[in-house]
Amino acid sequence: MPLIDIGANLTHDSFDRDRAAVLERARAAGVTRMVVTGASREHSHRALALAQAHPGVLYATAGVHPHHATEYTEECDAELRALHAHPEVVAVGECGLDYFRDFSPRPAQRRAFERQLQIAADTGKPLFLHQRDAHADFLAMMREFDGRLGPAVVHCFTGTREELFAYLDRDWHIGITGWLCDERRGAHLRELAPHIPAQRLMVETDAPYLPPRTLRPPPKDRRNEPAFLPHIVDELARDRGEDPAATAAATTATATAFFGLPEPPSRRELDILAGTAL
Ligand SMILES: [Zn+2]
């Protein structure tokens, strides 16, 4: 069953030495499409270039992560808007608020987030959101744009039950990563997983970050990659009491619709192309 990794930081320099092999392993594992996260000015450009080099397989987001909020100038805003003119750029973000690390001052984070919400409102593109320890401000800022935004996904959801239901009540989507597999801090996610409706659930590796701790053998270099997504889907399916094939099919259908991706060719279409159809 083909999978879509909705959050892979494939422009990360840890992939520079073997990016082609990483993509080949993803394909072999059934991860047929990936959305490359753009999380800074520089990497949003690189995400688009990577998507353009792999049409139909890689797509990109363009945005500025709250960690990099201080780089959000007028020039940066214009650059992001130019990136969003490209059809390969399928979402605005990664953007949001992170009061856990506070790598950028909070007023700068809020300003960069607001500007990107405006881009999403102007373009109608989906939002790829990051929220950590900033739930109240995050909700308040999103509320300012009520009725003006397209679909939204809270990527790498790690929050509480209250946060989950607040997001689902607002009809947002939830991105689940291998955080679920971390017995030290992800156990609560296993209890919450069955409460996410299939049409609101998507899966992601957040590679190279968050290698699933239940993966055997563990990756030698502690680097996560899209080929590990089926493992996350297996763990998630078990928590949801579902057949992994059902979880895979539902998350792929949800991601296809969410990002407005073309439907992949059906088995019959592939047979026709191969000249083997009756
Ligand atoms: Zn994030």
Side-chain angles (χ1 to χ4, degrees):
M1 187 57 67
L3 291 172
I4 300 176
D5 187 346
I6 69 153
N9 300 279
L10 292 175
T11 63
H12 193 275
D13 57 13
S14 67
F15 293 120
D16 285 351
R17 59 187 160 86
D18 64 345
R19 195 167 281 108
V22 167
L23 292 177
E24 175 49 31
R25 283 196 292 274
R27 195 198 58 76
V31 183
T32 54
R33 291 180 289 175
M34 291 147 262
V35 181
V36 182
T37 309
S40 68
R41 283 175 77 170
E42 183 196 342
H43 284 268
S44 293
H45 283 283
R46 286 162 64 174
L48 171 60
L50 205 52
Q52 287 173 329
H54 298 87
V57 175
L58 298 185
Y59 297 88
T61 74
V64 172
H65 190 285
H67 290 349
H68 304 291
T70 51
E71 74 178 29
Y72 207 100
T73 57
E74 289 305 320
E75 195 185 19
C76 172
D77 191 74
E79 274 181 30
L80 287 185
R81 286 176 180 273
L83 288 173
H84 281 288
H86 292 267
E88 297 89 349
V89 178
V90 294
V92 177
E94 178 172 358
C95 61
L97 300 173
D98 192 314
Y99 295 175
F100 178 69
R101 299 245 187 241
D102 275 328
F103 284 157
S104 282
R106 293 180 184 184
Q109 291 190 36
R110 288 191 288 268
R111 184 174 167 282
F113 186 30
E114 185 178 22
R115 297 298 298 269
Q116 292 175 89
L117 290 174
Q118 188 60 53
I119 294 176
D122 292 343
T123 61
K125 288 199 183 182
L127 273 162
F128 189 82
L129 298 164
H130 173 106
Q131 188 282 116
R132 212 162 163 210
D133 283 5
H135 180 66
D137 279 6
F138 178 80
L139 268 191
M141 290 188 64
M142 290 290 284
R143 205 167 275 141
E144 291 290 314
F145 283 81
D146 258 353
R148 292 191 280 151
L149 299 172
V153 59
V154 181
H155 114 96
C156 191
F157 179 80
T158 59
T160 63
R161 169 179 292 261
E162 290 68 29
E163 290 174 4
L164 177 67
F165 284 107
Y167 300 157
L168 291 174
D169 281 349
R170 302 184 73 76
D171 219 16
W172 300 339
H173 291 65
I174 304 295
I176 292 291
T177 61
W179 191 284
L180 184 86
C181 307
D182 187 332
E183 77 289 352
R184 302 163 305 179
R185 55 186 189 174
H188 72 292
L189 287 182
R190 293 191 179 273
E191 284 160 35
L192 294 178
H195 296 288
I196 307 170
Q199 69 276 17
R200 291 291 171 269
L201 174 66
M202 297 187 279
V203 288
E204 47 175 333
T205 57
D206 208 19
Y209 313 113
L210 306 177
R213 280 174 60 86
T214 45
L215 199 65
R216 294 292 174 270
K220 281 189 285 285
D221 48 9
R222 305 299 303 150
R223 185 185 69 173
N224 197 5
E225 62 175 73
F228 302 150
L229 190 62
H231 175 79
I232 296 169
V233 170
D234 284 350
E235 296 275 316
L236 176 61
R238 204 183 62 202
D239 297 335
R240 289 170 64 79
E242 287 175 349
D243 184 331
T247 309
T251 56
T252 296
T254 300
T256 301
F258 179 86
F259 291 105
L261 307 183
E263 293 290 335
S266 67
R267 172 50 61 91
R268 174 158 175 81
E269 287 165 329
L270 289 173
D271 286 348
I272 290 168
L273 285 171
T276 56
L278 294 174

